[in-house]
Amino acid sequence: MGFRFDLPSRIALFPLSEVVMLPRAKLPLHIFEPRYLQLLDDALKTDHRLIGMIQPDGNGLAAIGSAGRVIAFSESEDGRMMISLRAVSRFRLTGVEDGFTPYQQGQVDWAGFERDLEGPETDSELDRSALLDKLRRYAEALQLSADLESAGKATDEILINAFSMMLPFSSGEKQALLEVRTLTERRVLLEGLIDYALHGGENEEPMQ
């Protein structure tokens, strides 16, 4: 996957809990805080238009985040912005710069995530009907709306990554889904999280 820009060593950071952006996925965002409106304005002035999505972790930030390129934006009448990011690559956060801008900027290392810059992954071990059945039972238990018919026709990567991003897992669980190396590993973890929830999790009271 070629880009007409080089990956920078520093990017603007948008910390957001329980939100991760997985390889090649799209992420819609609603921006209204002045500092993040400034972040968007500054990002649009660069050739890469990258924003680093990263989760808070205690008093700091997670070690790994994901950079997305702004591919669309629109402004509401009250000045709020709706934007869409397309994931470019995960990164490892090596340092945080405060004070130079209203928002944080991160020093980042892209090494180890070269696969993110290539084409879509497949999962040769995926049992699609079994995964869809688990997703159906999970959605019914939590009364979530999910278009499983369309999901069943999606590619392996879209199916696994979309539900990894959208299901209401904890920030730690979302981070684990972000950090696994391969699509197969992510699907195994996703199924494990669903199984854990369906069997009651820490409450030991099954959802089913």
Side-chain angles (χ1 to χ4, degrees):
M1 185 182 298
F3 296 103
R4 288 175 289 181
F5 58 85
D6 294 324
L7 292 175
S9 60
R10 182 178 68 187
I11 58 174
L13 299 176
F14 195 131
L16 201 56
S17 184
E18 298 180 12
V19 174
V20 294
M21 182 170 50
L22 299 175
R24 288 164 295 278
K26 292 181 182 179
L27 178 69
L29 286 175
H30 187 197
I31 299 178
F32 54 89
E33 286 189 54
R35 58 179 167 167
Y36 294 125
L37 290 171
Q38 181 64 56
L39 180 156
L40 174 62
D41 187 55
D42 291 346
L44 290 173
K45 293 175 182 176
T46 67
D47 59 346
H48 54 72
R49 301 206 306 269
L50 293 177
I51 293 176
M53 300 302 301
I54 195 163
Q55 291 200 100
D57 184 10
N59 294 323
L61 297 171
I64 294 174
S66 182
R69 179 174 171 85
V70 180
I71 58 171
F73 61 92
S74 61
E75 184 176 5
S76 64
E77 292 183 359
D78 60 2
R80 300 177 181 224
M81 300 293 292
M82 287 295 297
I83 73 170
S84 180
L85 299 179
R86 175 180 289 134
V88 170
S89 175
R90 287 169 289 178
F91 60 82
R92 187 173 300 278
L93 186 66
T94 59
V96 178
E97 299 179 5
D98 290 299
F100 299 101
T101 56
Y103 51 86
Q104 293 176 307
Q105 297 188 71
Q107 299 165 357
V108 298
D109 183 359
W110 308 96
F113 301 110
E114 290 81 7
R115 182 66 183 82
D116 291 3
L117 300 172
E118 301 175 10
E121 289 187 78
T122 57
D123 179 0
S124 60
E125 301 173 20
L126 172 63
D127 183 336
R128 185 171 290 256
S129 61
L131 176 57
L132 288 169
D133 180 64
K134 289 181 182 182
L135 289 168
R136 176 189 57 76
R137 288 186 284 129
Y138 184 87
E140 289 176 352
L142 271 67
Q143 297 183 319
L144 302 173
S145 60
D147 185 355
L148 294 178
E149 183 176 348
S150 296
K153 301 174 184 176
T155 64
D156 295 355
E157 184 172 80
I158 290 175
L159 172 63
I160 294 165
N161 285 354
F163 282 99
S164 294
M165 289 172 63
M166 70 189 302
L167 293 182
F169 299 128
S170 70
S171 57
E173 291 166 340
K174 293 268 190 178
Q175 191 66 27
L177 288 162
L178 174 70
E179 293 186 10
V180 294
R181 294 184 307 109
T182 68
L183 186 67
T184 297
E185 290 173 329
R186 183 170 299 120
R187 189 259 308 157
V188 170
L189 178 56
L190 174 64
E191 291 190 316
L193 292 172
I194 293 173
D195 285 339
Y196 182 69
L198 288 173
H199 289 87
E202 296 178 354
N203 297 322
E204 297 183 355
E205 295 180 3
M207 288 182 175
Q208 314 178 70

